[in-house]
Structure formats: structure tokens, C-alpha cells
Amino acid sequence: MAKERKVYQYNPIDLDKDIAVGITLPFGKPNGLFSQSYTTEEQAVSNLKNLLLTRKGERPFQPEFGSDVYSLLFENMSESLDEELKETLSKDIKFWLPYIVIDNINIEIEHDRNYLRIELRFKVTEQGANTQIVLFIDADGAVIE
Amino acid sequence: MAKKAKNDLVQKDVSLIGRDFGEFRKNLVEFSKNYFPNTYNDFNESSPGMMFMEMASYVGDVLSFYTDTQLRESLLTTAEENANLFNIVNSFGYKPKNIIPASVTMEVFQLVPAIGSGDNVKPDYDYAMTLKEGMVVGSTDFTDVEFTTVNQVDFAFSSSFEPTEVSVYQIDENTNEPVYYLLKKTVRATSGKEKTATYDFDSPKIYDKIKLEEENLIRIKSIKDS
């Protein structure tokens, strides 16, 4: 059973529009500074990207942080891959980002091109607006839109 | 609390106590909450900002480890690495030598006569010897090599830790009963020869020194004043 962990930030923290929540992905603005987010939804997208693009064991002192999407890249493209991906994504997001509620995970597998397209629809807490990110995975790695 | 420095810059409190990853991370989170409440508020592990804080904590943890290791290795009582220990003791004037003798587990045998008859025939342990430690054993092939036992060998004593193996060595052809038993024990032995050197000290002299003529000295067993 997964170990309980302390959740540092849970509720929407964008109560004041002038107070930044965090920094967003991708890094780098033309002026060389980090882009800041001012809404919890905006930050949640970056957090989700960071979680999905991190392999387990990659982060120092947080070996369980990340997702198993990369390891599934080397699995055979069987019929069960769809379900395995949905299960692993739901499990990792529920553990590391418990304030994100997943509405739907749509996975398209193109066997001929060794290509995966994962469409993730979610909202931040039950009251949040629907947001969507798309993850493309092929032999060269993963890209999030 | 933050204080105003002379140049009007806010002098920030920095904790120097926490020296592992968890403590560094906690201190950085507290620091951000205190001094950048309008700039950063998301302390979830998946937040890109937390990634930077954790990387900084990781670097701090590694540097603290090196600092601890360097301090530990600089003291004689806590140093663990051989090279550092040798360097420290050299600075105190002690010159250790790395002479390590070969060691072996040797099998030692003794013949003892049988006692009793019929079902009661058994080795006569009245003949069992006790060989004290320090027994010197030579080699027939290499006559200049000697091994010295480090424990005593007691053939009359047997335990699971120090067993005496008993086997029939010779049988009487007429009665078909054992005549001699062979007792076998094992003992640790190290190579080397024990030597004695005598030195005369005539007139008293502060911190008088002598030089031992033997090379490849393993250890000094004892120093006695005649």
C-alpha cells in the first residue's frame, strides 16, 4: 500500500491576483527570467508536466517521484498497454498531485509508427475548470503540449 | 527576524544548523515563505520551483557530507581510511609497517591407543596431548618457512566450535577390534619466527633510542628489563 505523505499545498492559493503561485514550464522567457503563474490551474499544468516528464528514480532524494510512462515505452504495444498506462497515470497523479481530479484519459496508439498520444483532461479540485494536456510519446521521447 | 543592514539591504536570517537534505529543504521552504511570500507559494514536490529547491538541498547535503567526512578523517580517533590514519600517525612520529604474516588453518593429528573391549572400546584419552600455543611447525619443502600456532590444541576436549574428529587407525586382525585411534584437530597458525634481541643501556640518557636489526618485523611481543 502506498505510504501516506504530507501534502504541502492542497487548496487553491490564487486568492490574490498579484501574488504569484509558482514558476511554470517551459523555463525561459526572452528577458531571461522565469515565467510565473498567478492561478492554481496554470501552476497545476506545469506541475503535471513536471510529474509526467520525470522518470522514477531521476529526482535526487525523491526516488518515487515521477511517472512510469517512460518505462512503458519499452513495453510491447499490446492491447493491455492502454489500460496499464491509464492505471499508472491515475496512480501517480493521485499520489503526487492529489488536488488534481482526472476526468478522462484518452490514449491513441499507432502501432505502425510506434507512437502514443495521451490526452489528459483534468480539473483542479472539484470546483475547478476543465483543463487538458496532450502527451506525445515516440522513440525519441516524450513531449507535452 | 530580518534586520535592516547599514546599506539598507534586508539582512536575512539563514539557518546554518540543518545539514541534511530534509533539513535544507525545510529551511529553504521556510525561507521562501518568510521572504518571498508574493513570489512563490507552491511547495508541492511536482512544482518546478520545488525542483530547484530540492536540487539545492541535494547539493547542500552532498557538501555537508564532504565537510563531515573531511573533519572525521582529520582526527586520529575518528579517521577510518587507512591512508589518512597512516598520515596522522606519521605526523606524530610513528612509522607503521605493513608487514602482514601469512596465516593458515592447520590440521594436527595424534595417535592414541584403544581402551576397553567389545561395545565399550574407545580412544584412551589419558594419552591425549595438549599442545600449547606457540608450537612451531616447519615445512619439509621450504625449510626456512615456519608457522607458529596461535591457539592451544587439546585433543581431549571436543566441542562444536572446536571439534576433535576421531577415526580408527589400526585394527587387531585377531579380535577385529581397534588398536589405535587417530585424533584430528584444527588450529590457526601464522608464519614468522620468534626472535630475541638483547640491548645494553649503559649511562642514562633521555629518550634513548635503539634500532632493531631485523627487517620485516611483524610485531614486538614483549620488552623485558633484565
Side-chain angles (χ1 to χ4, degrees):
Chain A
M1 191 177 158
K3 203 174 91 179
E4 285 288 322
R5 64 182 256 281
K6 186 181 176 186
V7 177
Y8 290 91
Q9 202 66 54
Y10 201 82
N11 296 315
I13 50 177
D14 48 358
L15 303 174
D16 190 331
K17 63 179 182 178
D18 293 328
I19 295 177
V21 176
I23 55 177
T24 59
L25 287 176
F27 295 134
K29 277 169 66 177
N31 59 5
L33 300 173
F34 290 118
S35 311
Q36 288 181 302
S37 63
Y38 289 87
T39 63
T40 308
E41 276 88 1
E42 194 185 353
Q43 185 60 45
V45 173
S46 286
N47 292 1
L48 192 55
K49 282 181 185 176
N50 195 28
L51 178 72
L52 297 180
L53 295 178
T54 305
R55 299 170 196 221
K56 286 193 174 171
E58 187 179 346
R59 182 93 160 251
F61 286 89
Q62 297 277 21
E64 291 295 319
F65 179 80
S67 72
D68 281 327
V69 170
Y70 275 102
S71 60
L72 286 169
L73 278 177
F74 295 97
E75 292 295 319
N76 292 325
M77 276 198 175
S78 61
E79 289 176 3
S80 63
L81 183 64
D82 187 317
E83 282 307 311
E84 283 174 29
L85 271 168
K86 281 181 184 172
E87 194 182 320
T88 189
L89 284 170
S90 305
K91 190 183 75 179
D92 292 333
I93 293 169
K94 191 178 173 188
F95 184 77
W96 291 105
L97 295 165
Y99 57 90
I100 284 182
V101 181
I102 300 171
D103 284 336
N104 183 39
I105 301 175
N106 184 30
I107 297 175
E108 288 175 24
I109 303 175
E110 287 198 31
H111 296 269
D112 298 334
R113 293 169 57 198
N114 296 325
Y115 170 84
L116 274 176
R117 181 179 183 276
I118 303 171
E119 195 178 286
L120 199 74
R121 289 176 66 80
F122 64 94
K123 54 191 176 187
V124 179
T125 73
E126 293 292 348
Q127 297 79 33
N130 281 325
T131 316
Q132 175 179 304
I133 64 168
V134 182
L135 181 66
F136 300 98
I137 302 173
D138 61 11
D140 297 328
V143 177
I144 281 188
E145 211 175 56
Chain B
M1 283 290 288
K3 296 170 191 168
K4 280 268 186 185
K6 279 182 183 173
N7 56 4
D8 283 347
L9 289 172
V10 176
Q11 201 176 0
K12 299 183 176 75
D13 287 334
V14 178
S15 171
L16 299 173
I17 298 170
R19 296 195 302 129
D20 61 9
F21 175 81
E23 287 294 314
F24 274 123
R25 185 183 187 278
K26 197 175 92 182
N27 289 339
L28 283 171
V29 169
E30 288 304 315
F31 190 86
S32 304
K33 283 180 180 173
N34 285 336
Y35 297 109
F36 303 102
N38 297 334
T39 314
Y40 195 84
N41 285 290
D42 188 12
F43 300 103
N44 189 290
E45 293 90 341
S46 54
S47 175
M50 276 307 288
M51 186 174 71
F52 285 116
M53 283 194 210
E54 292 194 355
M55 288 302 284
S57 307
Y58 165 64
V59 172
D61 184 288
V62 173
L63 292 177
S64 295
F65 170 76
Y66 282 122
T67 309
D68 286 350
T69 305
Q70 284 191 340
L71 178 65
R72 190 189 69 216
E73 291 297 323
S74 66
L75 301 171
L76 181 60
T77 49
T78 52
E80 288 179 0
E81 291 186 22
N82 281 351
N84 295 332
L85 274 168
F86 283 129
N87 287 338
I88 295 169
V89 295
N90 280 339
S91 70
F92 290 132
Y94 177 68
K95 293 183 179 62
K97 280 191 172 180
N98 298 321
I99 308 295
I100 300 168
S103 67
V104 67
T105 303
M106 213 160 52
E107 293 176 343
V108 188
F109 299 88
Q110 187 198 352
L111 279 177
V112 291
I115 191 171
S117 60
D119 291 340
N120 295 323
V121 67
K122 59 182 181 181
D124 188 353
Y125 283 106
D126 287 345
Y127 288 89
M129 292 190 296
T130 300
L131 307 170
K132 287 189 176 176
E133 68 263 30
M135 176 177 70
V136 178
V137 182
S139 165
T140 50
D141 295 332
F142 305 97
T143 50
D144 58 334
V145 176
E146 286 182 355
F147 278 81
T148 307
T149 57
V150 293
N151 297 316
Q152 78 166 15
V153 182
D154 186 355
F155 284 100
F157 175 76
S158 183
S159 70
S160 57
F161 182 68
E162 198 184 323
T164 304
E165 289 180 32
V166 181
S167 57
V168 175
Y169 182 75
Q170 188 180 343
I171 293 174
D172 189 324
E173 289 178 357
N174 298 323
T175 60
N176 208 23
E177 284 187 351
V179 180
Y180 283 102
Y181 282 94
L182 185 66
L183 308 180
K184 176 186 157 189
K185 295 211 60 127
T186 56
V187 65
R188 297 282 300 166
T190 57
S191 68
K193 292 176 186 172
E194 192 176 311
K195 293 193 173 179
T196 305
T198 306
Y199 296 89
D200 295 325
F201 295 89
D202 300 327
S203 54
K205 193 175 166 187
I206 295 174
Y207 300 124
D208 200 0
K209 289 179 181 176
I210 52 166
K211 185 171 182 184
L212 300 176
E213 291 164 4
E214 288 293 335
E215 290 185 350
N216 295 332
L217 200 69
I218 297 167
R219 69 187 175 104
I220 296 171
K221 280 186 79 174
S222 67
I223 300 173
K224 286 179 185 169
D225 182 9
S226 60

